[in-house]
Amino acid sequence: MNAVLEQSREGRQRGFVLVVVFTLIVLISGLGLMAMRHARQEARSTGAYVDSTQAVALAESAMAIAITDLRLSPDYYQISFSDPGNQLASADLWNLRYAIPLDAQNFSDEGGVTGTICNAAVVPDPTGCVQILSSPYYDQGGGTAAVDLHPGAEFFTTVLYEAPLVGPCPPGFSCFDDQNYGWYVFGINVTARYGKGGTRWLNETKFEEHGRAQGAGRVTIGPIGAYGR
């Protein structure tokens, strides 16, 4: 009788130990899964922060380049703002936008390099795309169709200008109604996108945007030749 009781007691103890061990395994596995999930989220957050930082840097660079070009090439922009081909279609006459390439005299790569993402089909809206601040693409050799072009990097930047407005005459200068020079206020709008390029799906390339930065500013430039005279 005592032997039977001892065996029954040992069986219950073994069963209890098995339950405890199984519970510990489940808890440890759960903690491991939670740790992996947390690490994955941290990695994604870090990647998103890097992409956003890259986009902000691109936007700041584009703003500086646009202002520099406006200062160096007033005659070029006077002609460009007068060209209807650079004006974007808009029903709002008070909010006109212009897509004007950078002056090739100042930035020789702009307009001279055709192998950039600005010319590829993977860009959702290439209007105003700045080639020297956008990634190149490469041809995998399958042909010249858009599906054969894959971006070699993952970013592109666009710059749009607002119609210039006559600015006030600064202190120390004499301004007259019939003068052939003036000060103008230029509005600059920059969008920089950073992400993953070259993804193929159903024989099509797709740009996956991971970070975006937008900037808008106004700069007064003068004295330059009066527009419209």
Side-chain angles (χ1 to χ4, degrees), residues 153-171:
E154 304 83 17
F155 59 92
F156 68 98
T157 309
T158 58
V159 177
L160 298 178
Y161 300 89
E162 299 175 5
L165 302 175
V166 179
C169 184

Side-chain angles (χ1 to χ4, degrees), residues 22 42 49 68 78 82-83 111 120 137 153 192-193 196-197 200 222:
F22 180 76
E42 288 292 328
Y49 174 76
T68 301
Q78 182 177 5
S82 303
D83 185 354
Y137 66 72
R193 298 175 176 89
K196 181 180 180 182
R200 294 201 61 154

